[in-house]
């Protein structure tokens, strides 16, 4: 086979792989179409408790840290500013509208080590479990200007006593 023939085969394989990726993402988007992020602002009377910058890693189905969800605005990794208020948690992802999770929507907060393609030191990620409609989902955050344990503790402090847990640093 000539060099030109080999080049054409490699280009064809690359195009086929890209097409498969696009088809797979479209199927995932259709699968997750019923899940929506609660975009909006915090209530005007909300009191800020903590603000942390970092990375938004992914949102997955609860308990499935390797299965990314294609929720509009939360499908891709991004920089994030996390604001913890007495009324909930606001996530400001680069290029997306503000996501506000009121305390009634938040089910749990804990520490994690693994999510999708990110493996960090033990307890290096904050796993924020919240309700997207009737489905529990986990959003993973990687603080950069503060500790994951401190962010998780700040979020746990605003949760009602029945849902609040002390961050344990689990691996999921």
């Amino acid at each position: 086979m000539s060099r030109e023939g080999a080049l054409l085969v490699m280009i064809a394989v690359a195009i086929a792989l890209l097409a498969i990726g696009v088809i797979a993402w479209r199927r995932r988007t259709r699968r997750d179409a019923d899940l929506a992020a609660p975009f909006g602002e915090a209530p005007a009377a909300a009191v800020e408790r903590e603000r942390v910058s970092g990375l938004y890693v992914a949102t997955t189905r609860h308990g499935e840290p390797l299965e990314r969800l294609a929720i509009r605005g939360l499908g891709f990794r991004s920089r994030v500013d996390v604001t913890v208020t007495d009324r909930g948690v606001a996530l400001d992802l680069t290029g997306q509208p503000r996501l506000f999770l009121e305390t009634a929507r938040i089910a749990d907060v804990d520490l994690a080590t693994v999510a999708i393609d990110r493996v960090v030191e033990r307890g290096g990620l904050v796993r924020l479990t919240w309700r997207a409609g009737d489905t529990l989902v986990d959003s993973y955050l990687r603080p950069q200007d503060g500790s994951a344990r401190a962010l998780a503790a700040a979020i746990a402090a605003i949760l009602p006593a029945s849902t609040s847990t002390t961050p344990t640093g689990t691996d999921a």
Side-chain angles (χ1 to χ4, degrees):
M1 180 181 294
S2 69
R3 284 184 151 182
E4 292 79 17
L7 179 62
L8 288 175
V9 169
M10 291 183 69
I11 290 172
V13 168
I15 290 172
L17 290 174
L18 286 172
I20 290 169
V22 168
I23 291 167
W25 187 254
R26 284 187 179 166
R27 290 184 74 186
R28 184 177 298 256
T29 302
R30 279 194 305 267
R31 176 196 73 185
D32 299 334
D34 61 328
L35 301 174
F39 294 110
E41 294 295 322
V47 177
E48 184 177 314
R49 301 252 176 123
E50 185 158 350
R51 184 182 297 258
V52 177
S53 292
L55 294 174
Y56 163 77
V57 177
T59 296
T60 67
R61 289 196 189 280
H62 181 61
E64 298 178 25
L66 302 178
E67 184 63 34
R68 183 184 304 272
L69 294 174
I71 299 173
R72 187 180 72 79
L74 298 175
F76 301 102
R77 191 174 1 189
S78 171
R79 301 230 8 102
V80 67
D81 290 321
V82 182
T83 306
V84 181
T85 72
D86 60 341
R87 305 281 177 93
V89 177
L91 302 176
D92 292 308
L93 280 69
T94 303
Q96 298 298 329
R98 174 175 269 194
L99 172 101
F100 185 74
L101 300 169
E102 58 194 32
T103 54
R105 188 181 285 265
I106 301 171
D108 193 18
V109 63
D110 205 352
L111 300 176
T113 301
V114 177
I116 307 290
D117 59 351
R118 177 72 58 178
V119 178
V120 298
E121 73 278 0
R122 187 167 186 79
L125 294 172
V126 174
R127 183 182 66 213
L128 183 60
T129 303
W130 54 280
R131 289 175 192 81
D134 294 333
T135 305
L136 277 179
V137 299
D138 295 329
S139 289
Y140 293 89
L141 308 168
R142 171 88 164 139
Q144 291 189 316
D145 63 354
S147 79
R149 186 168 301 281
L151 177 58
I155 295 170
I158 66 167
L159 298 180
S162 62
T163 61
S164 179
T165 60
T166 302
T168 59
T170 60
D171 285 330

